[in-house]
Amino acid sequence: MPLRVYNTLTRQKEDFQTVTPGRVTMYLCGPTVYKPSHIGHMVGPVIFDTVKRYLSYSGYGVTFVVNITDVDDKIIGEATKRNTTMAAVAKEIEQDYFDNLKVMGVDSIDHFPRATEHIQGMLDIIGTLVEKGYAYPLNGDVYFDCTKDDDYGKLSRRSIEEMLAGTRVEANDRKRSPADFALWKGSKPGEPCWESPWGPGRPGWHIECSAMAKKLLGESIDIHGGGLDLMFPHHENELAQSESCSGKPFARYWMHNGLMQSSGQAGKVGGQHDRHGDLLAEKQQQEAAKISKSTGAGSFKDLLKSHAPETVRFFLLATHYRSPIDFSDERLQETAKSLEGFHRLFKTYERIAGTSFFAITPAATRTEAQESPSLGLPAFQEELSSLRQRFLDAMDDDFNTGGAVGVLFDLRKTLNGFIAEQKLETGSPKPEAVAALTAGMTVLKELSNLLGVFRVAPAKAAAADDGLVNGLMELVIQIRADARKNKNFAVSDLIRDQLKALKITLEDRPEKTLWRRG
RNA sequence: GGCUCCGUAGCCAAGUGGCUAAGGCAGUGGAUUGCAAAUCCACCAUCCCCGGUUCGAAUCCGGGCGGAGCCUCCA
């Protein structure tokens, strides 16, 4: 099955064909760095990181660019409020963003261009647009003339007339048409500015993406991604100015991810709350901050205090990328619970094979993966290939990570079943059976790598007293084992119950007793 | 008001014309266990409502009800 991708431009799934065979260029709209990330900011990066992983696995050479918008009215506003500079705010928030990407395992982005480092590229495009008659200067600003662009509105499927019908027209605006948008904004005294043929000013919102995509990826790119909320006006305008400038198609596939929403509340995470934030009385703001913990509108770093990054990543990928995701603390807890079984399987594997699941290096490409050696256990091997195939079929169908996640659970069940059936945990298992299990675990590693999960061992609940706790537990388990040997179940059950109250669970295995927190 | 999108079990969710409608969480029964835990097996939905197209629809079309996003420089 060939890879199919849903294209917002055509509103259908299309066979995936790149501009240059074997190569993919991807551009994702990144953050405006004026406030620390909330969970909504992680949705796009996690999804498109996964897209890149899958494309690379499928054999493409992929270049992935995410921009940083470090010049913007909101950053200026934040800087004024904090009595500092736009650059200082931008730098601080950008670092917060990078920290969050790192912890989420988003490490496939090749370039993070900053808007302020590409001003000349923007001026070049604006110059060309003015020359070609697509744009006009007006009192230090430069506007794009939407009426000059025949197919303006093709991405969001709206006509200029329709848009104007529903919008209030600002009376003091001297733009030729209210739909026209700023490519360049003349600056007021004291504001950050750059020199330009039209006087000092700063770029409009959309032009930076056109300039940076062109510079780093070329005039025609393969995939342009972003949140659904950016489709209009941002992407529509970006597309209009890029194509008017180059005369070539700007992006082959427009991919829009659904937005994170607060459970039980109207609106997307970080949307309405922030918009009127400044208008709220201080007391109401405090109240809002309290609520935000449960709605996901709080900072991402705060969220990570109560949830593992892997849980968040899994949670985001369990739903199809085009659907809205309902955020709630309960949902995340449920996800964490569903992952425990995987981590128990990894430990079980380690006991059986003596090596860590996380040390397994699986096949890096699809072609490589299909050349697996024979296991001498045809039925098991066939089941593994069939599961892999189901996983890849799901991914080939517009990156259906939700379906793929389901296969991962099936694979877990198969591996657990194999362990039980082959009695790998008791006595001395057959080496070929252990080798087969390793082959199965390798498939699990291969597929989970594509989603960017289970890449490293979970951070231990570690504390300095770990050695002491381990020693004490060994002692307690020894005492309990003696009691059990003597059929003194009153004592052994008391120990187990009391430990349970301390959030320690015991597992009596045939060989020995295991313990774990939680 | 205009433009998009969505409505699948108690909850989350995949599936968009045809085998017994994935999977997770919760629940029930069984195997296993001294009892548990863990694991495995089994059970648990005719797909918001009405009408239409079709040999056949959760899946296509029309209408209704309900929800969401955008039209406001928000990922």
Side-chain angles (χ1 to χ4, degrees):
Chain A
M1 190 156 82
L3 175 60
R4 290 170 64 76
V5 177
Y6 183 88
N7 189 354
T8 306
L9 211 47
T10 58
R11 308 288 156 101
Q12 331 180 299
K13 288 181 195 171
E14 299 173 9
D15 284 346
F16 187 65
Q17 283 185 319
T18 60
V19 175
T20 310
R23 296 219 36 98
V24 179
T25 48
M26 283 172 62
Y27 186 95
L28 172 68
C29 286
T32 299
V33 282
Y34 72 107
K35 263 187 174 178
S37 323
H38 58 252
I39 186 171
H41 291 112
M42 291 296 113
V43 177
V46 165
I47 287 165
F48 288 95
D49 176 66
T50 307
V51 166
K52 175 169 174 182
R53 282 165 188 282
Y54 190 64
L55 291 173
S56 302
Y57 173 85
S58 302
Y60 291 99
V62 186
T63 310
F64 181 18
V65 173
V66 176
N67 69 290
I68 302 288
T69 301
D70 61 349
V71 47
D72 176 270
D73 290 353
K74 280 201 291 248
I75 312 175
I76 296 172
E78 183 70 16
T80 309
K81 202 159 72 185
R82 287 159 53 169
N83 197 24
T84 180
T85 63
M86 180 178 82
V89 171
K91 194 170 180 202
E92 175 196 320
I93 302 302
E94 174 189 285
Q95 192 54 49
D96 173 79
Y97 184 68
F98 288 157
D99 291 347
N100 294 327
L101 292 185
K102 187 174 181 204
V103 78
M104 287 304 287
V106 177
D107 55 9
S108 67
I109 299 166
D110 299 291
H111 303 285
F112 287 103
R114 297 181 185 86
T116 55
E117 292 167 358
H118 291 266
I119 301 290
Q120 189 53 52
M122 302 182 211
L123 291 175
D124 291 346
I125 294 178
I126 297 170
T128 305
L129 289 172
V130 171
E131 228 169 81
K132 286 188 167 183
Y134 285 110
Y136 56 93
L138 184 71
N139 303 330
D141 300 338
V142 182
Y143 292 97
F144 184 87
D145 189 340
C146 292
T147 60
K148 293 279 166 54
D149 183 22
D150 293 338
D151 55 6
Y152 184 82
K154 68 178 174 184
L155 180 64
S156 56
R157 306 235 165 152
R158 54 186 91 200
S159 65
I160 295 173
E161 302 82 68
E162 277 168 4
M163 278 160 38
L164 300 184
T167 314
R168 277 168 294 146
V169 179
E170 305 95 86
N172 61 349
D173 212 316
R174 278 168 300 175
K175 291 187 290 188
R176 289 183 192 167
S177 159
D180 294 352
F181 56 91
L183 297 167
W184 187 258
K185 301 158 91 163
S187 56
K188 300 187 193 79
E191 286 179 346
C193 66
W194 287 262
E195 282 309 318
S196 86
W198 308 279
R202 59 182 186 275
W205 179 29
H206 321 296
I207 193 69
E208 58 170 286
C209 290
S210 290
M212 296 188 285
K214 181 182 174 190
K215 175 79 186 293
L216 293 161
L217 300 173
E219 287 180 326
S220 288
I221 64 177
D222 292 307
I223 295 176
H224 191 120
L228 203 53
D229 53 344
L230 294 181
M231 187 167 87
F232 188 91
H234 182 54
H235 290 160
E236 192 70 72
N237 293 347
E238 197 185 326
L239 186 162
Q241 65 202 187
S242 283
E243 296 196 346
S244 298
C245 178
S246 73
K248 297 175 188 163
F250 177 47
R252 271 184 116 91
Y253 303 94
W254 286 87
M255 292 177 64
H256 288 99
N257 59 271
L259 303 178
M260 177 71 65
Q261 289 166 213
S262 298
S263 183
Q265 293 196 8
K268 62 201 171 188
V269 165
Q272 302 276 323
H273 315 284
D274 292 342
R275 187 160 306 153
H276 302 298
D278 298 341
L279 306 176
L280 291 174
E282 195 178 330
K283 197 172 165 190
Q284 283 173 307
Q285 279 203 29
Q286 285 169 353
E287 199 59 34
K290 229 187 291 173
I291 295 166
S292 73
K293 194 161 188 278
S294 57
T295 59
S299 85
F300 190 66
K301 281 183 174 167
D302 274 350
L303 182 73
L304 291 176
K305 287 176 187 162
S306 39
H307 299 283
E310 177 166 277
T311 304
V312 179
R313 182 157 182 139
F314 211 92
F315 169 69
L316 296 180
L317 293 175
T319 303
H320 190 93
Y321 77 88
R322 280 189 278 118
S323 305
I325 309 179
D326 229 22
F327 175 89
S328 80
D329 209 55
E330 293 71 39
R331 205 74 315 119
L332 277 173
Q333 280 172 17
E334 192 182 299
T335 303
K337 216 163 198 175
S338 74
L339 295 183
E340 283 172 10
F342 283 103
H343 288 112
R344 277 194 291 267
L345 172 61
F346 301 152
K347 290 216 171 98
T348 304
Y349 172 69
E350 196 164 338
R351 284 195 302 274
I352 294 169
T355 57
S356 167
F357 168 79
F358 299 102
I360 294 175
T361 311
T365 66
R366 188 168 188 160
T367 336
E368 207 180 301
Q370 274 149 0
E371 296 160 355
S372 53
S374 171
L375 296 178
L377 288 159
F380 181 59
Q381 186 158 23
E382 195 160 312
E383 196 167 356
L384 293 179
S385 336
S386 139
L387 285 162
R388 176 198 276 121
Q389 194 55 49
R390 276 177 54 209
F391 183 100
L392 299 181
D393 283 348
M395 291 298 282
D396 276 337
D397 183 13
D398 193 29
F399 309 101
N400 181 0
T401 54
V405 161
V407 179
L408 237 40
F409 282 100
D410 281 340
L411 180 53
R412 178 178 85 183
K413 192 174 282 189
T414 297
L415 292 167
N416 275 324
F418 184 74
I419 290 168
E421 171 203 309
Q422 297 286 325
K423 297 192 176 19
L424 295 182
E425 283 233 86
T426 51
S428 44
K430 285 179 288 192
E432 55 267 35
V434 175
L437 176 64
T438 296
M441 296 300 284
T442 304
V443 173
L444 177 55
K445 192 81 171 73
E446 173 193 330
L447 302 182
S448 56
N449 270 178
L450 292 176
L451 299 180
V453 295
F454 308 143
R455 294 170 70 196
V456 291
K460 278 194 170 174
D465 64 357
D466 241 24
L468 177 64
V469 173
N470 284 334
L472 288 173
M473 282 308 299
E474 222 168 283
L475 175 67
V476 170
I477 287 172
Q478 183 58 49
I479 291 169
R480 182 164 167 278
D482 286 345
R484 291 181 70 215
K485 201 182 286 176
N486 297 326
K487 306 246 183 267
N488 192 348
F489 296 122
V491 169
S492 68
D493 289 353
L494 177 72
I495 291 173
R496 190 173 59 200
D497 292 347
Q498 293 296 105
L499 285 174
K500 189 74 197 170
L502 296 171
K503 301 244 185 285
I504 290 176
T505 306
L506 295 184
E507 274 183 52
D508 291 327
R509 300 288 183 134
E511 305 292 299
K512 60 174 181 174
T513 296
L514 303 175
W515 68 277
R516 65 167 187 273
R517 292 171 195 266

